[in-house]
Amino acid sequence: MIGISKITGYFPQRYVKMKDLAVARCEDPQKYLIGLGQEKMAVVGGNEDGVSLGLNAVKRLIKDLDDREKSQIKMVIWATESSTDESKAASLNLIDTLQLPNNGRYFEIKEACYGGTAALTLAFAQVALHPETKIIVVTSDIARYGLKTKGEVTQGAGSIAMMVEDSSNIVLSPFGQSAYYAKNIADFYRPQGQNAAIVQGQLSNQSYLNFFYQVFQDFFKKQDLVPEEIKLINFHLPYTKIGLKGLEKVKDQVSLSTYEEWVKLFNQGKALNAEIGNIYTGSLYLNLISNMLQGNFSSGDLLGMYSYGSGAQGEFYVLKVQQLWKMPEIEDLFINRKAISVEEYENLYRETTSNLNQTFNSEGIRHGDFYLKFIKNGERFYEQA
Ligand code: CAA
């Protein structure tokens, strides 16, 4: 069976409490906590970038593979909108750092937060053509809007990695046909050379919700399935309140009891997204992991997946839970997380660089985790702390 055999993630150790950020920005904390539904936001230092986060996620993903299994990895698709290079794919860094095979295809893929879903869909199709291969899908991003902007509260950072293959160990498999919808709009974009996104916040909200309504309806028109058969919906969550708005949007499409059950499960399952913030390409898959850790679904359940990438592309698809879950083993990342002040966060924010030559130390990085050690003539070098 084709599907995802393992999913795991990695998140920076430093975070800011939303309450503290609200006070520093002269906002009512309830706006951030209730109005947007966020508790904390993961923060990176200059010694972390989209590549280092992804290296750490993949290290966790492949930790139990033997040499023969590693040699079956024939493709690594890296989905990101935090690219550190306009040309070279981030996934190539895995060859040296984690000894992945040279005999493979490594590339990067982009369409804002939708990139992870595009990569996963491609991986399913590729494994169907070459059932003997394993494919790694990496989503890795640092959400950046700028200090003291309206988008600042919806930042975050992290990486989710997934193994796709044709095997008897599949835990999630694609079910039925996806529904998708695209439109050329400027709700959110990041021109070359800019390190923070330009966003029309309310347009992005409307577009996210309208696309959801469209693809949700289209999905159920396409197949012999009714919404009531879906256990819960995982959302791309730039902030968690938007998932509730999504459910409200399709309330008239489902029975009241299903709507109420989805809202209950959503509220239980949003925890990790509220703790970490937006991780762009990985956000939907973080919500999936979060629901998994809450025990919100079990074998045989069908899970709705709503993916949205600004620009804009939306997709609704369904995954079927095939076996009792192998947990993503990420709990250790939350044991010694460090709360930092708004001032420390602002200093770290300014550390992110596009300098062509710079050296970093391993401050704020856990022992054994990858970080950006130095940049030489624009080339980035990573090491384990
Ligand atoms: N107590 C409780 N709630 C309060 C409050 C208070 N004191 N004050 C305000 N609120 C509520 C508001 O009523 C509002 O809730 P509703 O929408 O349910 O009415 C909520 O808090 C947010 O208030 P505003 O809309 O006034 O917030 P804002 O204008 O400052 O910006 C934002 C919010 C547009 C999300 C902004 O943070 C932003 O631009 N973020 C980046 C863009 C983004 O995340 N867009 C989401 C869709 S795009 C996407 O999904 C792709 C992606 O990842 C970027």
Side-chain angles (χ1 to χ4, degrees), residues 27-36 81 112-113 143 145 149-154 187-188 197 199-209 236-239 241-242 245 278-281 283 308-310:
E27 292 278 7
D28 179 353
Q30 294 308 313
K31 175 176 174 183
Y32 291 3
L33 297 169
I34 308 294
L36 294 168
E81 50 183 306
C113 307
Y145 292 93
T149 61
K150 281 195 168 189
E152 184 181 32
V153 53
T154 59
D187 58 331
F188 166 110
V199 63
Q200 300 191 60
Q202 299 309 340
L203 173 65
S204 73
N205 282 338
Q206 282 162 19
S207 171
Y208 174 108
L209 293 171
H236 165 63
L237 290 176
Y239 55 93
K241 177 79 169 290
I242 204 165
K245 290 184 181 204
N278 194 359
I279 59 168
Y280 290 162
T281 47
S283 171
Y308 176 80
S310 289

Side-chain angles (χ1 to χ4, degrees), residues 209-223:
L209 293 171
N210 291 340
F211 276 45
F212 178 53
Y213 189 72
Q214 173 87 35
V215 291
F216 181 91
Q217 284 198 317
D218 287 355
F219 179 87
F220 290 102
K221 270 186 214 147
K222 275 191 188 179
Q223 42 242 309

Side-chain angles (χ1 to χ4, degrees), residues 128-380:
L129 281 175
H130 301 283
E132 71 290 357
T133 63
K134 296 183 194 295
I135 297 183
I136 293 178
V137 169
V138 190
T139 66
S140 186
D141 272 304
I142 299 167
R144 266 174 90 89
Y145 292 93
L147 300 175
K148 301 178 184 171
T149 61
K150 281 195 168 189
E152 184 181 32
V153 53
T154 59
Q155 297 179 132
S159 172
I160 305 291
M162 294 172 266
M163 186 68 77
V164 174
E165 57 188 312
D166 184 346
S167 94
S168 54
N169 293 327
I170 294 307
V171 289
L172 287 165
S173 60
F175 185 90
Q177 290 175 43
S178 295
Y180 26 81
Y181 183 73
K183 208 170 163 182
N184 181 20
I185 57 170
D187 58 331
F188 166 110
Y189 51 100
R190 184 166 67 86
Q192 280 179 332
Q194 304 291 309
N195 67 11
I198 299 172
V199 63
Q200 300 191 60
Q202 299 309 340
L203 173 65
S204 73
N205 282 338
Q206 282 162 19
S207 171
Y208 174 108
L209 293 171
N210 291 340
F211 276 45
F212 178 53
Y213 189 72
Q214 173 87 35
V215 291
F216 181 91
Q217 284 198 317
D218 287 355
F219 179 87
F220 290 102
K221 270 186 214 147
K222 275 191 188 179
Q223 42 242 309
D224 189 18
L225 190 72
V226 291
E228 284 70 17
E229 292 173 82
I230 303 290
K231 174 74 179 177
L232 56 80
I233 299 181
N234 294 293
F235 284 90
H236 165 63
L237 290 176
Y239 55 93
T240 65
K241 177 79 169 290
I242 204 165
L244 283 177
K245 290 184 181 204
L247 291 176
E248 174 84 32
K249 190 92 183 164
V250 296
K251 189 175 177 183
D252 62 356
Q253 306 287 308
V254 300
S255 68
L256 184 60
S257 60
T258 297
Y259 170 74
E260 286 174 351
E261 177 69 4
W262 284 357
V263 169
K264 188 187 93 189
L265 292 173
F266 178 81
N267 282 327
Q268 286 168 12
K270 67 183 180 182
L272 280 188
N273 298 81
E275 283 278 317
I276 288 163
N278 194 359
I279 59 168
Y280 290 162
T281 47
S283 171
L284 167 63
Y285 301 95
L286 178 61
N287 193 214
L288 173 66
I289 285 181
S290 192
N291 272 305
M292 179 195 314
L293 289 174
Q294 290 294 326
N296 277 352
F297 53 78
S298 52
S299 298
D301 284 340
L302 297 178
L303 311 177
M305 304 289 290
Y306 176 51
S307 185
Y308 176 80
S310 289
Q313 176 72 58
E315 179 158 339
F316 187 83
Y317 71 101
V318 165
L319 290 174
K320 182 166 187 186
V321 184
Q322 290 296 342
Q323 302 181 357
L324 277 183
W325 269 100
K326 276 188 280 189
M327 285 299 171
E329 299 172 8
I330 53 168
E331 289 85 346
D332 59 307
L333 292 169
F334 293 88
I335 292 171
N336 291 314
R337 259 179 120 200
K338 183 168 178 268
I340 58 172
S341 67
V342 173
E343 193 186 349
E344 286 171 296
Y345 143 67
E346 289 178 354
N347 291 335
L348 289 175
Y349 185 97
R350 293 188 188 99
E351 274 183 13
T352 296
T353 181
S354 47
N355 286 348
L356 293 182
N357 294 287
Q358 195 163 336
T359 303
F360 299 91
N361 61 35
S362 60
E363 197 185 330
I365 309 296
R366 293 173 354 139
H367 179 69
D369 287 352
F370 286 101
Y371 70 102
L372 173 61
K373 171 89 172 154
F374 63 95
I375 312 174
K376 190 176 172 199
N377 198 23
E379 190 179 353
R380 290 179 176 233

